[in-house]
Amino acid sequence: MKMLSMKVLSKKILISLVIIVCPVLASSLAAQTLLIKNAKVHTLSSQGTLNNADILIEDGLIKSLGKNINSRADNTIDAQGKEVTPGIFAVANSIGLVEIDALNQTMDAVTADELTGASFSLEEAFNPNSTLVPHNRAQGVTRTLISPAYGNGHLLFGQGAIMSLSGDYHPVIAKSVAIFGSFGERASNQAGGSRATALKQLQTLFDESREYADNYQAILAGEYRELNHSIDDLKAMQAVIERKTPVVFNVNRASDIMLLLRFAKKNSIRIILKGAAEAWMVARDIARANVPVMLDPMNNIPASFESLGQRIDQAALLHKAGVDLIFLGQGFQNTHNAHTVRHSAGTAVSYGLPYDVALKAFTVTPARIFGGAESYGKIMPGYTAELVIWDGDPLEVTTSAEEVILAGKLVDKTTKASRLRERYQDISTEKNTAYRK
């Protein structure tokens, strides 16, 4: 009798728990909605820029866009006087791969392994807990293309990957989206002192990559002649010779750029020019070859003989010629302050580049070229809600990111700098601030 009572009691408790828990579960499983009202929206789509527009976000996606959207949302933001863009796509940096440049133990963007060149991949080394992740995210950077740094003695020295700055442990959006290399002064030094030998070494790599494609069974079985490059590098190069993956060449001199255009045509590969100080001199040839250019619009100071033609208005000149543009961050700040790329874009606009082209150069254009453009880079229904609400013109230096939205959710903007500010801003006490808890 006592046992039966216990069973009845347990059943009642279970039913009570179900009654209590089910509404909570249902609530958590219900669509999470966010409504942004009255904003100036840079859609970067055929709709252009919309004034006093609303954006309804549901379950991480943009559900609708337009004026006077009447929908009850879990969270509503009045963005009157604010502007909305896609999140910043910062490219060719070491976010998550470096903490302090001067300390090798915090650097994972470069390897001295002589056997690893084109196959050097970085995504597994990405640290989502790096202080640089929340620092750049709070300033509007939502994704990044990490790239290897020159240093392993190869002309092609590794692969880039697109990473989310969500801060979770599964940040890879796309891996092996490009292979990075160099040509010019640095490459000639690497290849014995001449661009001619550098070009010869490059051609050998591509010839052996095709040999591998045609004879990989014999090569893997050890029944083929000895090759100059590792099996891993030759495997990595297959995507290049199949035109699935582009090669990003760091190059500056106009004649070197022309040489690479001829090299790409001869080998039927896709290339992208990075740095490209003197690209404006051969802009029409670059446009005809349909080769994008990655550049820092703030860089107008020649740093070497190969970049003597550097000029600050070259973004406008290249665009006028029909060249696709991707903006790099500002020199040595490209990683620690990758978010400043929007300031560089503002400078390009002040020297003649159309405003929308400048916005696209750090959002949708790199996504179109490196991957992800099917869901990111435009503000339109069906796209990922990866957005920034700015308190003014996003290309102005004095503007700040008021809200950052990743996967439809408002991002916590706490950074190491903001924690330090909160900790030490009160100077009214005589107590040594270094010992505050």
Side-chain angles (χ1 to χ4, degrees):
M1 184 65 182
K2 188 176 180 181
M3 290 295 292
L4 180 62
S5 298
M6 287 298 292
K7 286 183 177 178
V8 171
L9 180 60
S10 298
K11 186 176 182 181
K12 287 184 176 179
I13 292 172
L14 180 61
I15 292 172
S16 300
L17 285 173
V18 169
I19 292 172
I20 294 171
V21 171
C22 276
V24 176
L25 287 175
S27 175
S28 64
L29 293 174
Q32 296 294 309
T33 53
L34 172 64
L35 180 60
I36 303 170
K37 299 282 290 182
N38 308 312
K40 182 177 180 179
V41 180
H42 300 274
T43 70
L44 304 188
S45 71
S46 59
Q47 288 189 277
T49 300
L50 306 176
N51 292 309
N52 297 315
D54 303 341
I55 305 170
L56 179 62
I57 298 166
E58 183 176 298
D59 280 348
L61 300 177
I62 297 170
K63 184 177 183 182
S64 54
L65 168 69
K67 294 182 181 293
N68 302 315
I69 294 177
N70 292 314
S71 178
R72 296 183 64 182
D74 300 315
N75 191 3
T76 299
I77 298 173
D78 184 0
Q80 183 72 47
K82 311 294 194 305
E83 302 191 23
V84 181
T85 69
I88 294 173
F89 186 172
V91 299
N93 56 54
S94 301
I95 294 176
L97 300 172
V98 62
E99 211 66 35
I100 302 171
D101 288 330
L103 294 177
N104 288 339
Q105 58 266 43
T106 73
M107 275 285 291
D108 288 304
V110 64
T111 178
D113 182 0
E114 296 180 355
L115 296 178
T116 305
S119 59
F120 179 45
S121 59
L122 298 164
E123 64 271 8
E124 295 295 342
F126 184 85
N127 175 19
N129 294 324
S130 164
T131 58
L132 303 189
V133 171
H135 171 71
N136 280 293
R137 187 177 60 210
Q139 304 295 329
V141 181
T142 55
R143 61 179 56 198
T144 184
L145 168 59
I146 55 172
S147 63
Y150 184 82
N152 59 4
H154 292 261
L155 297 179
L156 302 189
F157 43 82
Q159 306 174 22
I162 302 174
M163 315 296 287
S164 169
L165 263 60
S166 61
D168 66 35
Y169 288 105
H170 303 284
V172 179
I173 296 174
K175 57 183 181 180
S176 304
V177 298
I179 289 181
F180 285 74
S182 181
F183 194 82
E185 293 178 359
R186 180 175 289 181
S188 68
N189 290 335
Q190 174 63 37
S194 170
R195 287 171 169 80
T197 49
L199 181 64
K200 183 179 179 182
Q201 289 186 9
L202 265 182
Q203 190 58 60
T204 299
L205 172 59
F206 278 85
D207 291 343
E208 290 194 352
S209 298
R210 290 191 174 85
E211 279 189 74
Y212 178 85
D214 295 336
N215 305 283
Y216 69 93
Q217 289 180 325
I219 293 172
L220 294 177
E223 298 170 350
Y224 200 78
R225 73 175 180 89
E226 186 175 351
L227 300 173
N228 294 304
H229 299 88
S230 71
I231 298 297
D232 285 342
D233 282 358
L234 296 177
K235 285 181 178 178
M237 289 295 294
Q238 298 310 300
V240 174
I241 62 175
E242 294 170 2
R243 294 182 62 83
K244 296 176 181 176
T245 299
V247 178
V248 178
F249 279 106
N250 197 333
V251 62
N252 286 295
R253 199 170 74 177
S255 61
D256 291 339
I257 292 171
M258 290 299 295
L259 184 154
L260 286 178
L261 295 182
R262 293 192 295 272
F263 181 83
K265 183 177 181 180
K266 174 184 175 184
N267 288 279
S268 187
I269 61 169
R270 296 162 54 208
I271 66 169
I272 297 169
L273 308 177
K274 178 171 176 278
E278 296 184 348
W280 63 272
M281 295 181 181
V282 290
R284 292 186 183 281
D285 295 281
I286 297 171
R288 274 196 292 270
N290 195 27
V291 171
V293 170
M294 305 167 70
L295 75 157
D296 171 11
M298 293 284 284
N299 188 4
N300 67 335
I301 300 175
S304 60
F305 279 103
E306 65 182 355
S307 60
L308 289 176
Q310 187 86 264
R311 55 190 287 178
I312 200 165
D313 61 346
Q314 89 145 325
L317 297 174
L318 290 171
H319 170 70
K320 188 177 180 181
V323 177
D324 271 332
L325 299 175
I326 299 172
F327 285 163
L328 302 166
Q330 296 176 9
F332 69 95
Q333 298 195 73
N334 192 29
T335 292
H336 287 73
N337 291 303
H339 60 90
T340 59
V341 65
R342 65 185 179 88
H343 304 159
S344 304
T347 300
V349 171
S350 69
Y351 280 89
L353 188 69
Y355 190 96
D356 269 10
V357 176
L359 269 181
K360 290 177 180 178
F362 61 90
T363 53
V364 67
T365 302
R368 175 165 54 80
I369 293 169
F370 289 110
E374 68 282 356
S375 61
Y376 156 83
K378 296 179 182 177
I379 301 177
M380 55 189 294
Y383 272 57
T384 302
E386 193 170 317
L387 311 171
V388 184
I389 303 176
W390 305 95
D391 62 7
D393 184 337
L395 301 192
E396 286 289 345
V397 175
T398 53
T399 294
S400 298
E402 192 161 288
E403 297 287 355
V404 179
I405 299 166
L406 254 171
K409 298 178 181 177
L410 296 174
V411 167
D412 178 6
K413 293 177 61 187
T414 302
T415 66
K416 183 177 181 180
S418 67
R419 290 200 304 272
L420 290 171
R421 180 195 63 203
E422 295 299 323
R423 185 174 182 179
Y424 296 115
Q425 65 180 350
D426 182 7
I427 59 173
S428 62
T429 174
E430 293 181 355
K431 187 177 180 180
N432 190 330
T433 56
Y435 296 99
R436 288 182 189 171
K437 292 184 179 179

